[in-house]
Amino acid sequence: MIQAAVSRVSPATETKGKTIRRWQAKNTTSVICSVCGQTFVLCSAAQRYCSSACREKAREQCKARQEAAKEKKKNAGKDLETVVAQAERLGMSYGKYRAMQAISAASIHAKTT
């Protein structure tokens, strides 16, 4: 005698599925995917992208931005000789030159806000 395999769904999984379906029935919010621009209906409140492909693409873009920021920070120390040379041309020490830059940046920021 061959017994048929019966797949049982645990009560927790079944409850979660019902909760999600109830949420979907109440919330038919359509949003625009920030990666591809396609309009889609949310499947959960935490969803940000229309598909897993867009989610992966966004993750890759984020990693690329982080790497670029690291590289920029790493290369900032290499420009030290250039900054020192500019300060010397203006007849200032490095510290005075950087303070002057910070003050001018702060005044520009204060004007824009």
Side-chain angles (χ1 to χ4, degrees):
M1 177 194 262
I2 300 174
Q3 291 182 343
V6 178
S7 65
R8 296 197 62 180
V9 177
S10 70
T13 305
E14 189 174 315
T15 305
K16 183 178 179 183
K18 287 180 182 177
T19 304
I20 290 171
R21 283 192 295 277
R22 256 187 251 121
W23 185 87
Q24 287 173 340
K26 290 178 186 175
N27 301 306
T28 55
T29 306
S30 60
V31 293
I32 297 173
C33 178
S34 61
V35 176
C36 67
Q38 179 181 356
T39 303
F40 66 99
V41 177
L42 293 176
C43 293
S44 75
Q47 187 176 359
R48 294 175 60 190
Y49 307 106
C50 65
S51 65
S52 59
C54 283
R55 184 177 62 242
E56 289 298 319
K57 191 172 182 179
R59 185 177 295 149
E60 289 171 8
Q61 290 172 351
C62 181
K63 283 184 181 181
R65 282 193 303 270
Q66 288 174 345
E67 288 296 321
K70 278 185 184 179
E71 191 67 28
K72 185 177 178 182
K73 190 173 183 180
K74 181 179 165 184
N75 289 336
K78 293 180 181 177
D79 289 336
L80 181 61
E81 292 113 14
T82 307
V83 175
V84 169
Q86 289 172 347
E88 286 176 357
R89 271 187 255 135
L90 294 174
M92 299 181 186
S93 68
Y94 172 77
K96 286 182 180 179
Y97 181 75
R98 294 299 288 182
M100 181 188 72
Q101 285 181 328
I103 290 169
S104 65
S107 67
I108 291 171
H109 179 70
K111 289 178 185 177
T112 59
T113 55

